[in-house]
Amino acid sequence: MVEERLPLGVAARLSRYLQILTQAKKSGKNTISSKTLSEYSSVNPTQIRRDLSAFGKFGKRGVGYNIDYLISRIKDILHTSGQHNLAIMGGGNLGTAIASSKIFADHGFNVAAMFDTDPAKAGQRVGNLVVLPVSEVSKVVEERNIIVGVLAVPPAAGQAAADALIKAGVKIIFNYSEALLDAPPGVTIHSMSPAGELLYALYFYLT
Amino acid sequence: MVEERLPLGVAARLSRYLQILTQAKKSGKNTISSKTLSEYSSVNPTQIRRDLSAFGKFGKRGVGYNIDYLISRIKDILHTSGQHNLAIMGGGNLGTAIASSKIFADHGFNVAAMFDTDPAKAGQRVGNLVVLPVSEVSKVVEERNIIVGVLAVPPAAGQAAADALIKAGVKIIFNYSEALLDAPPGVTIHSMSPAGELLYALYFYLT
DNA sequence: TAGATTGTTAATCGATTAACAATC
DNA sequence: TAGATTGTTAATCGATTAACAATC
């Protein structure tokens, strides 16, 4: 079997299916149809069947897809079965909310460190974590093998926080702030854009 | 000029441009090129020029696009110039973070109410807001003309929170929890999926 | 057997990209 | 004038959709 990088759209959709399947499993389901998956993902059911059947016959006609099996197959396709460590920049409400939720843990992402520029916050506990000063980013990122940095800081502090992570060797920056960030080649910036998505949803409501 | 609903992709991209332009303006820029917009949006520059030129000649050759002008043109196209009220369900860390940020305010969304199921939280202040009990959702949604509900609750409480909003007449649910939600026709559920997006970013890092 | 749902085809539509003349 | 960037074309590729036989 030839290993080629998936088209952007396919990788994005498979990631989305994986997230939905993980939740569906939690709610006690064992199988799921392309129709149900379509309702939760806003992807056309034919498209879903096409995406999956490109890699093998994963489903059972008349029944649907076995959730556990489909999760393991998609993880294989995306090469994302492992555990990965991430660091959160910002120990405020947002950083605390992210650290406390299982949203990343469910997919093998371990919150391995939390940093804050405020000296008064250093040493405070947030769940199992102790907030560290930004001066320790480089050391900790290397020691704990952190490849993903999550920005949960005010927009004005976004670029500085990103720079500290990048300098330390982090390769993927997940930006929860609305700041526009610059990064060198080889570093991926992924910005959440809730306001943009809300504008989009509103457009279809208004028209 | 014929008023037709935009294709999904076009509306999504225009919303994204609008969000980036709003940030770029804040950083003091007056003009922006399709190349720069491309770097921040991950949309091909030719695609951006095509999206915009479908509605008129908004740019200046050799210079780029005037940011203020482009913002006002895109708002016209998306019919999103007005002010809209939203309610946040959940007065925890996430709800507080959303209420405190300007991420929605920049785009004309006003956080008009915050609710929590915890009676101990009712009456507490979060910024300019007073946390209200869930029993008041229907009354407040009507009084304050709220059309968007933002879910910032634990996954197990997601469906109940959504149901309360929908019953009250909210038409757009913006889901920050990882819960899978069911909604009747006419109600749009828009779920954030940070874990899914992170899996996607990781795939391209690993391959 | 009857009902449901997959896997697959075929046709259409929108997205992507390179290239370049027009023009600021 | 020189450099930069838009607006636009043309060609290719991927997404979308309806439809339906296969089969659980």
Side-chain angles (χ1 to χ4, degrees):
Chain A
M1 197 171 180
V2 190
E3 287 284 336
E4 278 191 19
R5 198 182 253 215
L6 303 173
L8 297 179
V10 177
R13 291 197 301 279
L14 289 175
S15 302
R16 183 104 182 84
Y17 304 155
L18 193 49
Q19 194 259 334
I20 292 166
L21 291 166
T22 306
Q23 291 306 316
K25 187 186 168 184
K26 280 198 181 177
S27 73
K29 286 182 186 165
N30 289 315
T31 62
I32 194 166
S33 69
S34 59
K35 185 161 171 284
T36 305
L37 201 41
S38 168
E39 281 157 14
Y40 290 127
S41 64
S42 304
V43 176
N44 182 284
T46 306
Q47 174 77 330
I48 294 172
R49 296 201 299 277
R50 264 157 74 65
D51 283 339
L52 299 175
S53 71
F55 300 98
K57 303 192 178 187
F58 300 160
K60 262 206 181 67
R61 291 166 200 243
V63 178
Y65 299 89
N66 177 284
I67 291 179
D68 281 330
Y69 179 66
L70 196 52
I71 287 175
S72 81
R73 297 302 294 116
I74 295 179
K75 280 189 178 171
D76 285 351
I77 295 164
L78 293 177
H79 305 111
T80 48
S81 316
Q83 279 282 325
H84 302 279
N85 288 330
L86 62 80
I88 296 175
M89 288 295 255
N93 282 310
L94 183 56
T96 302
I98 296 167
S100 315
S101 102
K102 295 199 182 68
I103 207 162
F104 289 124
D106 282 343
H107 293 280
F109 296 104
N110 172 45
V111 180
M114 178 180 265
F115 301 97
D116 203 293
T117 47
D118 183 354
K121 282 215 175 110
Q124 285 185 12
R125 298 192 69 85
V126 172
N128 295 328
L129 296 168
V130 174
V131 179
L132 302 173
V134 175
S135 57
E136 294 192 24
V137 169
S138 280
K139 196 186 78 179
V140 173
V141 163
E142 196 186 338
E143 279 177 3
R144 303 188 188 172
N145 191 28
I146 290 168
I147 58 165
V148 176
V150 175
L151 296 193
V153 298
Q159 187 68 57
D163 289 345
L165 288 165
I166 292 167
K167 199 178 160 200
V170 162
K171 296 302 181 193
I172 299 171
I173 304 273
F174 210 66
N175 181 24
Y176 270 89
S177 94
E178 59 263 60
L180 299 180
L181 301 177
D182 297 306
V187 175
T188 303
I189 303 270
H190 193 98
S191 294
M192 304 271 84
S193 179
E197 298 190 38
L198 187 47
L199 285 170
Y200 169 75
L202 187 68
Y203 171 76
F204 289 100
Y205 170 68
L206 292 175
T207 53
Chain B
M1 196 172 179
V2 190
E3 287 284 336
E4 278 191 18
R5 198 183 254 216
L6 302 174
L8 297 180
V10 177
R13 291 197 300 278
L14 290 175
S15 302
R16 183 102 182 85
Y17 304 155
L18 192 49
Q19 194 259 334
I20 292 167
L21 291 166
T22 305
Q23 292 306 317
K25 188 186 168 185
K26 281 199 180 175
S27 74
K29 287 182 185 163
N30 289 315
T31 62
I32 194 167
S33 69
S34 59
K35 185 161 171 283
T36 305
L37 201 41
S38 168
E39 281 157 14
Y40 291 126
S41 64
S42 304
V43 176
N44 181 284
T46 305
Q47 174 77 330
I48 293 172
R49 297 200 299 275
R50 264 157 76 64
D51 282 339
L52 298 175
S53 70
F55 300 97
K57 303 193 179 188
F58 300 161
K60 262 207 180 68
R61 290 167 201 242
V63 178
Y65 299 90
N66 178 284
I67 291 178
D68 281 331
Y69 180 65
L70 196 52
I71 287 174
S72 81
R73 299 302 293 116
I74 295 178
K75 279 188 179 171
D76 286 351
I77 295 164
L78 294 177
H79 305 110
T80 48
S81 317
Q83 279 282 325
H84 302 280
N85 288 329
L86 62 79
I88 296 175
M89 288 295 254
N93 282 310
L94 183 56
T96 302
I98 296 167
S100 314
S101 103
K102 295 200 183 68
I103 206 161
F104 289 124
D106 282 342
H107 294 279
F109 295 105
N110 172 45
V111 180
M114 178 179 266
F115 301 98
D116 203 293
T117 48
D118 183 354
K121 282 218 174 104
Q124 285 185 12
R125 297 192 68 85
V126 172
N128 295 328
L129 296 167
V130 175
V131 179
L132 302 172
V134 175
S135 58
E136 295 192 23
V137 170
S138 279
K139 195 187 77 181
V140 174
V141 162
E142 196 185 340
E143 279 177 3
R144 303 188 188 170
N145 192 27
I146 290 168
I147 57 164
V148 176
V150 176
L151 295 193
V153 299
Q159 187 68 56
D163 290 345
L165 289 165
I166 292 166
K167 198 177 161 200
V170 163
K171 296 302 180 194
I172 299 171
I173 303 273
F174 210 67
N175 181 24
Y176 270 90
S177 94
E178 58 264 60
L180 299 179
L181 301 177
D182 296 306
V187 175
T188 303
I189 302 271
H190 193 98
S191 295
M192 304 270 85
S193 180
E197 297 189 38
L198 187 47
L199 285 170
Y200 168 74
L202 187 67
Y203 171 75
F204 289 100
Y205 168 68
L206 292 175
T207 53

